[in-house]
Amino acid sequence: MQIDIMTLFPETVGDMMNESILGRAQERGYIRIEAHQIRDYTLNKQKQVDDYPYGGGRGAIMQADPLYRCWAHIRESCAVGRSRTIYLSPCGETFTQAKARQLLADYDHLILVCGHYEGVDERFLEECVDEEISLGDFVLTGGELPAMAVADAVCRMAPGVLPEAACYEEESHWNGLLEHPHYSRPEEWHGRRVPEVLLSGHHENVARWRKKQSMLRTLRRRPDMFREADFQGTKQDRKLLAEVYEELRRDPSTAGLPPQSTD
Ligand SMILES: C[S@@+](CC[C@H](N)C(=O)[O-])C[C@H]1O[C@@H](n2cnc3c(N)ncnc32)[C@H](O)[C@@H]1O
């Protein structure tokens, strides 16, 4: 996977993306992430990239032409394979793990466009952008954090970046559930003990406990996700599910239970 990020702050983006796991994966050639300074593509001495909005109103708008020149340069010199251009915007489709998986499966190259000020001239979006993605229902000052979030979520699943697929397949949001709780040494901290089953060395019981905690946590925190989860799988899953419902029946604080179906 290759990702090119169009931004007014390439150093900030580069610093983040070249660190730790993603930095090492780039050194080893599994992924490539590059940040491009949009100001380098202006035709004026001041390197101005914004101007006033037609129709009046507050703030400034990023002009279409510097964005277009930067985008065209990337398309001509960096694009590989199946390429997609995404504008990070609070008006876009909300980003999810499923979306990250789809982007990794369907494309070899992403161009991520970071807006600033009041946003971007619509004509650039119409001409060059394939889709808009939002990080959530809130407004940030710029598109860099959302772009880095998308790049990170997509690239960490690229082959070679993490030691094995289980590293991301067993995490929250992969199979429609939230992950179970984690514990590390010491066995007791501030009077709180690690659950006995995790000290037992019994791998089957540990796996069972973790799956059940994952179900419970999802049902308590994200009943919307739980309602969508598919438990048609193993007999053991259905048994665990019955136990989960039993526990929740004894805990009146949990609201929004979906209808029981355990057979
Ligand atoms: C201050 S925002 C502009 C908001 C815009 N005027 C609106 O109301 O939709 C500046 C830039 O930050 C980025 N941005 C802000 N919030 C975002 C979000 N939730 N998801 C993705 N990008 C966001 C976009 O690139 C946007 O162009």
Side-chain angles (χ1 to χ4, degrees):
M1 172 57 76
Q2 179 179 314
I3 298 189
D4 288 282
I5 301 178
M6 292 170 49
T7 169
L8 297 178
F9 301 97
E11 290 83 14
T12 313
V13 171
D15 283 351
M16 270 300 291
M17 297 284 97
N18 294 331
E19 281 293 327
S20 185
I21 293 173
L22 296 185
R24 284 195 295 277
Q26 290 196 71
E27 280 163 20
R28 290 173 190 158
Y30 293 121
I31 53 170
R32 193 184 68 71
I33 305 173
E34 198 175 325
H36 302 259
Q37 172 57 271
I38 299 164
R39 287 191 197 282
D40 291 346
Y41 297 85
T42 54
L43 295 178
N44 61 78
K45 256 203 267 171
Q46 301 75 25
K47 292 185 178 279
Q48 185 185 337
V49 291
D50 60 294
D51 214 325
Y52 69 86
Y54 278 124
R58 275 169 293 103
I61 307 300
M62 288 179 75
Q63 293 166 288
D65 204 53
L67 287 165
Y68 176 75
R69 289 168 171 279
C70 182
W71 177 82
H73 168 79
I74 294 169
R75 292 280 298 178
E76 279 158 26
S77 57
C78 314
V80 288
R82 301 159 301 168
S83 182
R84 188 137 180 106
T85 301
I86 297 168
Y87 170 49
L88 287 309
S89 160
C91 302
E93 171 192 339
T94 305
F95 191 54
T96 61
Q97 186 71 29
K99 184 69 189 177
R101 283 168 74 173
Q102 184 229 319
L103 290 175
L104 183 66
D106 293 354
Y107 304 102
D108 309 298
H109 179 223
L110 301 178
I111 302 176
L112 304 180
V113 183
C114 305
H116 263 272
Y117 317 118
E118 289 305 313
V120 164
D121 190 308
E122 192 69 17
R123 293 167 295 182
F124 168 75
L125 302 180
E126 286 166 6
E127 193 154 317
C128 305
V129 166
D130 298 306
E131 68 177 304
E132 300 189 17
I133 288 182
S134 167
L135 201 58
D137 292 344
F138 46 80
V139 176
L140 301 164
T141 54
E144 282 73 18
L145 288 172
M148 288 192 279
V150 170
D152 190 313
V154 170
C155 286
R156 73 191 289 278
M157 294 186 291
V161 174
L162 294 177
E164 50 185 327
C167 296
Y168 51 83
E169 288 178 357
E170 291 174 4
E171 289 186 306
S172 299
H173 299 290
W174 181 266
N175 62 357
L177 293 176
L178 301 177
E179 197 184 43
H180 55 78
H182 294 285
Y183 299 87
S184 184
R185 289 193 293 178
E187 283 180 22
E188 185 168 332
W189 177 81
H190 287 198
R192 297 166 189 274
R193 280 196 58 73
V194 172
E196 282 309 317
V197 63
L198 299 181
L199 307 173
S200 68
H202 193 301
H203 299 305
E204 213 175 291
N205 286 353
V206 169
R208 210 173 165 280
W209 180 87
R210 285 181 169 160
K211 185 69 188 269
K212 187 168 161 185
Q213 293 304 314
S214 167
M215 288 175 169
L216 275 165
R217 178 174 269 189
T218 312
L219 185 44
R220 287 193 171 116
R221 297 185 185 183
R222 292 291 303 272
D224 58 317
M225 270 175 69
F226 198 83
R227 250 176 255 126
E228 298 297 316
D230 178 10
F231 294 114
Q232 301 310 308
T234 64
K235 202 172 162 189
Q236 194 199 46
D237 272 7
R238 293 197 293 274
K239 196 161 168 262
L240 277 180
L241 193 59
E243 284 176 31
V244 163
Y245 278 113
E246 188 48 42
E247 247 170 75
L248 288 163
R249 223 173 273 125
R250 281 188 256 121
D251 177 0
S253 66
T254 306
L257 285 176
Q260 186 172 1
S261 151
T262 56
D263 48 27

